[in-house]
Amino acid sequence: MKLEEAIKQKKFGNEFEKAVVNILYTASWLEGINIQRFKPHGISPQQYNVLRILRGSHPNPVMLGEITERMIDKNSNATRLVEKLRLKGFLKRDICKTNRRQVDITITSKGLALLEVLDTHIDQWQNEHMKIKKSEVQLLNELLDKLRG
């Protein structure tokens, strides 16, 4: 669906303004899909992001500050997200053996298993619904990187 139809707006100040609105609208659309995808598993998109960060570092532990730096949503409360995931058994927090003021965070086997299930759902959704080719996705990624400069 064209942006103009989706938000019922025919004119934009210029193509740059339209692009910004389009990016924001598309991000919101993808966020809605992710909320529905993760809801049956009892996690949020932000919690999913934390689990992916931990899986990327597995089996090495990660400190809270590193999770915060690597989060997609910089406004997320990483402390709260980590605690909710810990209570669900998806990660564990341990006092660092070499620095007692540091807390090491690692993903559990339960967290890894959840990500495997979600990976399957995401792959299936991409295969069924992505309407752009791999070369177009690569160009899109290049353009978005360039935009953030």
Side-chain angles (χ1 to χ4, degrees):
M1 173 184 290
K2 291 271 198 188
L3 177 65
E4 292 86 349
E5 296 168 25
I7 67 169
K8 297 175 180 30
Q9 180 174 335
K10 294 181 182 181
K11 289 185 179 182
F12 294 89
N14 56 51
E15 286 298 313
F16 292 105
E17 178 185 311
K18 180 180 176 180
V20 169
V21 172
N22 208 339
I23 290 167
L24 293 171
Y25 179 81
T26 304
S28 178
W29 174 75
L30 288 169
E31 179 82 1
I33 289 169
N34 280 336
I35 288 169
Q36 293 307 311
R37 176 183 295 135
F38 302 140
K39 194 176 209 172
H41 303 281
I43 65 168
S44 67
Q46 294 80 9
Q47 290 171 334
Y48 172 73
N49 187 204
V50 170
L51 290 174
R52 283 183 41 94
I53 291 166
L54 294 173
R55 178 174 64 180
S57 296
H58 182 71
N60 298 321
V62 179
M63 292 184 294
L64 186 63
E66 185 179 348
I67 291 172
T68 302
E69 286 175 13
R70 294 175 59 188
M71 292 284 299
I72 293 170
D73 181 355
K74 299 298 182 191
N75 295 320
S76 294
N77 182 336
T79 303
R80 184 178 52 80
L81 295 171
V82 164
E83 182 58 15
K84 285 185 174 186
L85 290 167
R86 186 191 68 78
L87 292 172
K88 295 174 185 180
F90 295 131
L91 59 80
K92 63 180 185 168
R93 297 175 50 194
D94 295 307
I95 302 296
C96 177
K97 292 177 176 87
T98 58
N99 181 352
R100 295 188 52 84
R101 293 181 295 171
Q102 177 180 315
V103 176
D104 291 335
I105 303 165
T106 53
I107 192 165
T108 61
S109 57
K110 183 178 177 182
L112 290 169
L114 173 63
L115 287 178
E116 280 187 42
V117 169
L118 292 172
D119 287 345
T120 303
H121 291 300
I122 291 166
D123 289 345
Q124 180 182 0
W125 183 86
Q126 287 175 348
N127 290 334
E128 292 175 5
H129 296 95
M130 280 306 218
K131 297 176 177 114
I132 55 179
K133 300 177 205 158
K134 185 177 179 181
S135 61
E136 292 171 322
V137 172
Q138 289 170 329
L139 176 60
L140 176 61
N141 283 322
E142 289 172 19
L143 290 171
L144 291 171
D145 288 344
K146 186 176 182 178
L147 177 67
R148 288 189 316 276

